[in-house]
Amino acid sequence: IKKSFLKGDFAKAISQADKLAEKEPIGGEIAKMLRAMVANRVAGYEAALERGDVRKANEGAESLVKGVKGLPEEEQLEALIKKISKDKELKEVLKTQDKLADILATEVKKKKECENCIRRLEKLLKDNSDSFTGGLIETALDDYHKLLKNLRR
């Protein structure tokens, strides 16, 4: 059970816990806990999409769907992934959030690099100011402005 769980194969872990339940009551408790955990993660990705965090919803659903093959949550996750991939607006938001993640992943050691990141963030913010993504960009801009004060050339 532990090995399957750590690999992210929740369907197999639940199946193994169900088999254990036939011999020991703890197996049923483990299976119940695993099912609740999977359901909570799916609900979390759906909530992320609702609030506008398309990237988190998409990446989370894509990584979890592999581990829930055969479980009821598999359909929910596939529907979530399909919804994101078919919706033009959501795809655009995902593209913007990917750009933001790319900027945030940039290693900044010099003032010029920081200023470049600020320019890129400001450009992204122009079209996304009144959204969840806009809030993320504004937070990143604040962080980069603070960092800029502490950097040398």
Side-chain angles (χ1 to χ4, degrees):
I1 297 171
K2 180 181 174 184
K3 191 175 185 181
S4 297
F5 173 78
L6 292 174
K7 283 183 178 179
D9 191 348
F10 300 107
K12 187 174 180 180
I14 290 170
S15 171
Q16 291 169 336
D18 285 338
K19 284 181 187 173
L20 177 63
E22 294 169 9
K23 298 174 187 167
E24 296 185 38
I26 190 73
E29 292 298 316
I30 293 170
K32 186 178 174 183
M33 179 198 67
L34 290 170
R35 283 187 181 91
M37 190 195 72
V38 168
N40 285 337
R41 286 182 67 186
V42 171
Y45 298 138
E46 289 172 340
L49 182 61
E50 294 247 343
R51 74 174 174 269
D53 197 347
V54 180
R55 188 168 198 265
K56 180 178 183 175
N58 192 57
E59 286 183 353
E62 284 180 346
S63 71
L64 185 58
V65 77
K66 297 169 191 151
V68 295
K69 292 283 182 213
L71 297 177
E73 289 81 6
E74 180 182 14
E75 281 185 35
Q76 288 176 271
L77 292 169
E78 286 177 347
L80 186 67
I81 293 165
K82 187 176 181 178
K83 180 179 181 178
I84 293 168
S85 69
K86 300 288 182 190
D87 187 306
K88 281 186 179 183
E89 250 182 69
L90 292 176
K91 284 197 316 192
E92 197 58 41
V93 171
L94 179 60
K95 188 176 172 183
T96 301
Q97 290 178 353
D98 284 342
K99 286 179 184 176
L100 174 60
D102 183 52
I103 294 168
L104 296 177
T106 305
E107 191 173 342
V108 176
K109 292 183 178 179
K110 297 180 181 176
K111 205 171 200 173
K112 191 173 184 177
E113 294 166 338
C114 189
E115 289 168 345
N116 184 41
C117 286
I118 289 172
R119 273 193 299 279
R120 290 172 65 196
L121 287 167
E122 287 171 344
K123 185 178 176 186
L124 268 185
L125 186 60
K126 283 181 186 174
D127 298 328
N128 299 286
S129 59
D130 294 333
S131 66
F132 175 82
T133 306
L136 295 175
I137 296 168
E138 288 171 356
T139 300
L141 273 168
D142 288 344
D143 293 345
Y144 276 100
H145 282 294
K146 290 174 188 169
L147 179 63
L148 186 62
K149 293 175 186 174
N150 298 322
L151 291 173
R152 298 182 187 165
R153 295 184 195 199

